[in-house]
Amino acid sequence: MATVTELAAATPVTRDRYVDLLRVASLGVVVGGHWLMAAVTDDGVGNLLAVVPELQVLTWVLQVMPVFFFVGGFSHALSYRSLRRRHPDRAVYSVFLRGRLQRLLRPTMAFVLVWGTAALAVQLLGGGGGTTGVALRLVAQPLWFIGIYLAMVAFTPPLLRLHERFGWGAFGALAAAAAAVDVLRFAADVPFVEFLNFAFVWLAVHQLGFLRADGRIRRPAPLAAAGLAGAAALVALGPYPLSMVGMPGEKISNMAPPTLALLCHGLWLVGAVELLKGPGARLLRRPRVWRGVVAANGVAMTAFLWHLTAMLGVYGAMIAAGLELPEPAGAAWWAGAPFRIAAASLATAGLVAVFRRFERPAQHGAGAPVPGTGPVAATGITLCLFGVLGLSMVGFGGLLEGRTATLVAVPVSAPVAVALALGGWLLVERAGARAK
């Protein structure tokens, strides 16, 4: 296994290092935001943005998941095109899925199995209620991001073909579909139609990554301005809330399911980060900075999966030590925030040290793709998608009682969700590994 220094030194001069920086930085902002927003009291876990609504405007800068999905589109386009060049006469879908999913699902399944085992042990010992039950549900919430990312991987080949034919028109079609969904949702009150925007909004942001891969985002300033103006107009004039993240108890969320306002927010962020590309690229020419980005990229998914576990562990240690939890947003709470975040960082580092091995890609590859494996791989990633999204909603609590959550219109329990995810992953592995 090569060291970070060796990997950094071996980086081709043609690599777009700024994309790697965006990937790490976006996940880092999400992790830090979660740590800061957590308003934990003896009564449960709340959200700082609900306690201090004036802070919700900060989500227009700090809700950076669109940047990660934008970067994903860029990377997926390069990866899939590379496979097509190497195997121009073969269907490469199954090999593409397997390659993209290995570093995503290996650490995810390790997380799921560890927390599933812990949740079962807690319940067998008679626990699982109160704050513990909240924690068992909360730690699974970041899995929604994995589920959405799986969908982006699955739809990359057909949407890339549309991009190659229509360019900005393919993005425009997805954006128009997202707008139509909101019209049907808010103006016509069509039931369940809003869930379509989990696909249209996020795939539109992903499509921007294809455009970047082809150098077609030439004027980022107008893109950022249009996105910011559009989001501001929708929030000011429409039914959309100010916050670009979900708020407890809110009737309408920009996140779950996504709205046209969130898509405009994504446009603003994509334009903004593209404007910073020059300074970012110059910064990454410094060897020490680039080594840091390489090191962080190697453990980013593991850190993301376990960061809420670390945060809850810090609060659990405070409670166990008999420390009084400060009132959220009070003077004592703000004074203690740097220390809580530092403690959560150390706890996350410890968890990364234990589980980082699962983020390393398996040391086996595949030869030329085998015809006929595409449908098997497509079935597998579909099962993975529903399993991971279902688990993000139901959490790890109430395993023995058969607790369920509704995914679109279907009730899903944690054991069923885990079975779907594991079974789907095995199908993708089997399809992608079959090579002559």
Side-chain angles (χ1 to χ4, degrees):
M1 178 65 72
T3 66
V4 168
T5 300
E6 291 169 340
L7 290 172
T11 303
V13 294
T14 56
R15 186 178 182 90
D16 191 334
R17 302 184 182 196
Y18 186 57
V19 168
D20 296 287
L21 175 63
L22 290 180
R23 182 184 296 111
V24 169
S26 58
L27 283 183
V29 170
V30 171
V31 168
H34 285 169
W35 286 339
L36 183 61
M37 287 191 301
V40 181
T41 66
D42 294 329
D43 298 324
V45 182
N47 191 314
L48 175 66
L49 300 180
V51 179
V52 189
E54 295 80 6
L55 294 177
Q56 292 179 18
V57 70
L58 295 178
T59 63
W60 288 51
V61 176
L62 300 179
Q63 164 49 304
V64 294
M65 270 305 183
V67 175
F68 190 91
F69 293 147
F70 163 67
V71 168
F74 176 88
S75 300
H76 296 158
L78 296 187
S79 176
Y80 190 71
R81 285 170 169 172
S82 175
L83 278 172
R84 285 196 312 195
R85 285 193 299 270
R86 282 183 281 148
H87 306 290
D89 58 338
R90 300 290 185 106
V92 297
Y93 186 65
S94 61
V95 177
F96 170 73
L97 290 189
R98 181 178 183 241
R100 303 311 292 180
L101 265 58
Q102 277 187 351
R103 285 192 64 179
L104 189 68
L105 286 183
R106 280 163 53 88
T108 301
M109 290 303 115
F111 172 84
V112 167
L113 292 175
V114 169
W115 262 110
T117 302
L120 184 60
V122 166
Q123 196 164 3
L124 288 173
L125 293 172
T131 303
T132 301
V134 172
L136 290 175
R137 291 192 296 272
L138 185 63
V139 292
Q141 287 184 0
L143 294 176
W144 77 266
F145 154 80
I146 306 293
I148 297 298
Y149 202 77
L150 288 173
M152 292 176 174
V153 173
F155 281 102
T156 287
L159 289 180
L160 187 57
R161 286 194 292 271
L162 288 175
H163 158 75
E164 289 168 348
R165 182 173 181 181
F166 298 109
W168 277 97
F171 165 80
L174 288 168
V181 165
D182 274 13
V183 170
L184 293 173
R185 175 187 181 184
F186 296 122
D189 200 25
V190 176
F192 300 119
V193 71
E194 64 267 26
F195 293 104
L196 291 174
N197 267 351
F198 276 113
F200 293 140
V201 168
W202 289 129
L203 289 177
V205 174
H206 188 249
Q207 203 80 4
L208 290 171
F210 297 166
L211 290 161
R212 187 189 192 278
D214 287 349
R216 301 188 66 174
I217 302 180
R218 301 186 183 95
R219 301 179 65 191
L223 185 69
L228 186 59
L234 288 170
V235 170
L237 303 175
Y240 304 94
L242 174 66
S243 175
M244 291 298 163
V245 301
M247 289 288 101
E250 64 184 356
K251 186 178 180 181
I252 297 173
S253 167
N254 281 320
M255 273 288 293
T259 65
L260 183 61
L262 185 65
L263 176 54
C264 289
H265 173 68
L267 288 173
W268 135 246
L269 287 180
V270 168
V273 297
E274 284 297 284
L275 284 171
L276 296 173
K277 181 179 178 180
R282 289 192 292 273
L283 178 67
L284 290 167
R285 294 192 190 109
R286 300 178 183 179
R288 182 176 299 179
V289 174
W290 176 237
R291 284 196 299 270
V293 171
V294 171
N297 260 309
V299 298
M301 191 55 57
T302 303
F304 176 78
L305 286 166
W306 290 97
H307 77 279
L308 287 184
T309 301
M311 181 199 74
L312 292 171
V314 169
Y315 278 104
M318 293 173 64
I319 294 172
L323 299 177
E324 182 178 354
L325 298 181
E327 189 67 23
W333 189 91
W334 285 110
F339 301 99
R340 293 192 301 272
I341 292 175
S345 300
L346 289 174
T348 301
L351 290 166
V352 165
V354 173
F355 294 107
R356 64 180 296 177
R357 69 192 70 180
F358 297 103
E359 194 165 347
R360 296 168 184 162
Q363 298 301 310
H364 53 77
V370 174
T373 56
V376 176
T379 301
I381 197 168
T382 301
L383 293 176
C384 281
L385 167 64
F386 281 101
V388 171
L389 284 178
L391 191 56
S392 74
M393 298 180 69
V394 71
F396 295 101
L399 295 179
L400 299 181
E401 286 84 13
R403 181 178 180 270
T404 64
T406 301
L407 179 61
V408 185
V410 180
V412 179
S413 67
V416 168
V418 172
L420 287 173
L422 282 173
W425 182 30
L426 291 176
L427 284 178
V428 173
E429 278 287 310
R430 179 179 175 84
R434 287 178 57 195
K436 294 179 181 180

Short mmCIF file of all heavy atoms in Angstrom, two decimals, residues 363-389:
data_model
loop_
_atom_site.label_atom_id
_atom_site.label_comp_id
_atom_site.label_asym_id
_atom_site.label_seq_id
_atom_site.Cartn_x
_atom_site.Cartn_y
_atom_site.Cartn_z
N GLN A 363 -8.36 -5.33 -3.78
CA GLN A 363 -7.22 -5.50 -4.67
C GLN A 363 -7.47 -6.61 -5.69
O GLN A 363 -6.70 -7.54 -5.85
CB GLN A 363 -5.96 -5.81 -3.84
CG GLN A 363 -5.58 -4.71 -2.87
CD GLN A 363 -5.30 -3.40 -3.57
OE1 GLN A 363 -4.55 -3.35 -4.53
NE2 GLN A 363 -5.90 -2.32 -3.08
N HIS A 364 -8.58 -6.51 -6.38
CA HIS A 364 -8.83 -7.43 -7.49
C HIS A 364 -9.62 -6.67 -8.53
O HIS A 364 -10.42 -5.80 -8.23
CB HIS A 364 -9.59 -8.68 -7.04
CG HIS A 364 -10.86 -8.40 -6.30
ND1 HIS A 364 -12.02 -8.01 -6.94
CD2 HIS A 364 -11.15 -8.44 -4.98
CE1 HIS A 364 -12.99 -7.84 -6.04
NE2 HIS A 364 -12.48 -8.09 -4.85
N GLY A 365 -9.39 -6.96 -9.72
CA GLY A 365 -10.04 -6.24 -10.80
C GLY A 365 -10.77 -7.16 -11.73
O GLY A 365 -10.95 -8.35 -11.48
N ALA A 366 -11.23 -6.65 -12.82
CA ALA A 366 -11.93 -7.43 -13.81
C ALA A 366 -11.29 -7.17 -15.17
O ALA A 366 -10.73 -6.12 -15.43
CB ALA A 366 -13.40 -7.05 -13.84
N GLY A 367 -11.38 -8.18 -16.03
CA GLY A 367 -10.90 -8.01 -17.37
C GLY A 367 -11.96 -7.36 -18.23
O GLY A 367 -12.66 -6.46 -17.79
N ALA A 368 -12.10 -7.84 -19.44
CA ALA A 368 -13.09 -7.26 -20.34
C ALA A 368 -14.49 -7.57 -19.84
O ALA A 368 -14.76 -8.67 -19.35
CB ALA A 368 -12.90 -7.83 -21.74
N PRO A 369 -15.42 -6.62 -19.94
CA PRO A 369 -16.79 -6.84 -19.49
C PRO A 369 -17.45 -7.99 -20.24
O PRO A 369 -17.14 -8.26 -21.40
CB PRO A 369 -17.48 -5.51 -19.80
CG PRO A 369 -16.38 -4.51 -19.92
CD PRO A 369 -15.21 -5.26 -20.45
N VAL A 370 -18.35 -8.68 -19.58
CA VAL A 370 -19.08 -9.81 -20.16
C VAL A 370 -20.47 -9.35 -20.57
O VAL A 370 -21.18 -8.74 -19.77
CB VAL A 370 -19.18 -10.97 -19.14
CG1 VAL A 370 -20.05 -12.09 -19.71
CG2 VAL A 370 -17.79 -11.50 -18.82
N PRO A 371 -20.89 -9.62 -21.80
CA PRO A 371 -22.24 -9.22 -22.22
C PRO A 371 -23.30 -9.88 -21.34
O PRO A 371 -23.14 -11.00 -20.86
CB PRO A 371 -22.31 -9.74 -23.66
CG PRO A 371 -20.89 -9.87 -24.11
CD PRO A 371 -20.12 -10.24 -22.88
N GLY A 372 -24.39 -9.17 -21.14
CA GLY A 372 -25.52 -9.73 -20.41
C GLY A 372 -25.50 -9.48 -18.92
O GLY A 372 -26.45 -9.86 -18.22
N THR A 373 -24.44 -8.85 -18.39
CA THR A 373 -24.36 -8.61 -16.95
C THR A 373 -24.99 -7.28 -16.54
O THR A 373 -25.18 -7.04 -15.35
CB THR A 373 -22.90 -8.64 -16.46
OG1 THR A 373 -22.15 -7.68 -17.21
CG2 THR A 373 -22.29 -10.02 -16.66
N GLY A 374 -25.30 -6.43 -17.51
CA GLY A 374 -25.89 -5.12 -17.20
C GLY A 374 -27.18 -5.20 -16.41
O GLY A 374 -27.33 -4.51 -15.39
N PRO A 375 -28.17 -6.03 -16.84
CA PRO A 375 -29.42 -6.11 -16.07
C PRO A 375 -29.22 -6.59 -14.64
O PRO A 375 -29.91 -6.13 -13.73
CB PRO A 375 -30.25 -7.11 -16.88
CG PRO A 375 -29.72 -6.99 -18.28
CD PRO A 375 -28.25 -6.75 -18.11
N VAL A 376 -28.28 -7.51 -14.43
CA VAL A 376 -28.00 -7.99 -13.07
C VAL A 376 -27.44 -6.85 -12.23
O VAL A 376 -27.85 -6.64 -11.08
CB VAL A 376 -27.01 -9.17 -13.09
CG1 VAL A 376 -26.64 -9.59 -11.67
CG2 VAL A 376 -27.60 -10.34 -13.86
N ALA A 377 -26.51 -6.08 -12.80
CA ALA A 377 -25.93 -4.96 -12.07
C ALA A 377 -26.98 -3.89 -11.79
O ALA A 377 -27.01 -3.31 -10.70
CB ALA A 377 -24.78 -4.36 -12.87
N ALA A 378 -27.86 -3.63 -12.77
CA ALA A 378 -28.91 -2.63 -12.57
C ALA A 378 -29.87 -3.05 -11.46
O ALA A 378 -30.29 -2.23 -10.64
CB ALA A 378 -29.68 -2.42 -13.88
N THR A 379 -30.21 -4.34 -11.42
CA THR A 379 -31.06 -4.84 -10.34
C THR A 379 -30.37 -4.68 -8.99
O THR A 379 -30.97 -4.27 -8.00
CB THR A 379 -31.39 -6.32 -10.58
OG1 THR A 379 -32.07 -6.46 -11.83
CG2 THR A 379 -32.27 -6.87 -9.46
N GLY A 380 -29.07 -4.99 -8.98
CA GLY A 380 -28.33 -4.89 -7.73
C GLY A 380 -28.26 -3.49 -7.19
O GLY A 380 -28.51 -3.25 -6.00
N ILE A 381 -27.96 -2.52 -8.04
CA ILE A 381 -27.84 -1.15 -7.53
C ILE A 381 -29.21 -0.60 -7.14
O ILE A 381 -29.31 0.23 -6.22
CB ILE A 381 -27.14 -0.23 -8.56
CG1 ILE A 381 -26.64 1.04 -7.85
CG2 ILE A 381 -28.04 0.10 -9.72
CD1 ILE A 381 -25.71 1.89 -8.67
N THR A 382 -30.27 -1.06 -7.78
CA THR A 382 -31.62 -0.64 -7.37
C THR A 382 -31.93 -1.14 -5.97
O THR A 382 -32.47 -0.40 -5.14
CB THR A 382 -32.66 -1.17 -8.37
OG1 THR A 382 -32.37 -0.65 -9.68
CG2 THR A 382 -34.06 -0.73 -7.97
N LEU A 383 -31.60 -2.40 -5.71
CA LEU A 383 -31.83 -2.95 -4.36
C LEU A 383 -30.98 -2.19 -3.33
O LEU A 383 -31.46 -1.87 -2.23
CB LEU A 383 -31.48 -4.44 -4.34
CG LEU A 383 -32.39 -5.35 -5.17
CD1 LEU A 383 -31.87 -6.78 -5.12
CD2 LEU A 383 -33.83 -5.29 -4.66
N CYS A 384 -29.73 -1.91 -3.68
CA CYS A 384 -28.86 -1.13 -2.78
C CYS A 384 -29.47 0.23 -2.47
O CYS A 384 -29.49 0.67 -1.32
CB CYS A 384 -27.49 -0.93 -3.42
SG CYS A 384 -26.38 -2.33 -3.32
N LEU A 385 -29.94 0.88 -3.51
CA LEU A 385 -30.51 2.21 -3.38
C LEU A 385 -31.67 2.21 -2.40
O LEU A 385 -31.71 3.01 -1.45
CB LEU A 385 -30.96 2.71 -4.75
CG LEU A 385 -31.84 3.95 -4.81
CD1 LEU A 385 -31.10 5.15 -4.28
CD2 LEU A 385 -32.30 4.19 -6.25
N PHE A 386 -32.63 1.31 -2.59
CA PHE A 386 -33.79 1.27 -1.70
C PHE A 386 -33.42 0.82 -0.30
O PHE A 386 -33.98 1.30 0.69
CB PHE A 386 -34.87 0.37 -2.30
CG PHE A 386 -35.66 1.03 -3.39
CD1 PHE A 386 -35.40 0.75 -4.72
CD2 PHE A 386 -36.66 1.94 -3.09
CE1 PHE A 386 -36.11 1.37 -5.73
CE2 PHE A 386 -37.38 2.57 -4.09
CZ PHE A 386 -37.10 2.29 -5.42
N GLY A 387 -32.46 -0.08 -0.21
CA GLY A 387 -32.04 -0.54 1.11
C GLY A 387 -31.38 0.56 1.93
O GLY A 387 -31.72 0.77 3.10
N VAL A 388 -30.45 1.27 1.31
CA VAL A 388 -29.73 2.33 2.04
C VAL A 388 -30.66 3.49 2.38
O VAL A 388 -30.63 4.01 3.51
CB VAL A 388 -28.52 2.80 1.21
CG1 VAL A 388 -27.89 4.03 1.84
CG2 VAL A 388 -27.49 1.69 1.09
N LEU A 389 -31.50 3.91 1.42
CA LEU A 389 -32.44 4.99 1.72
C LEU A 389 -33.43 4.57 2.80
O LEU A 389 -33.77 5.36 3.69
CB LEU A 389 -33.20 5.39 0.45
CG LEU A 389 -32.45 6.23 -0.58
CD1 LEU A 389 -33.33 6.51 -1.79
CD2 LEU A 389 -31.97 7.54 0.03
#
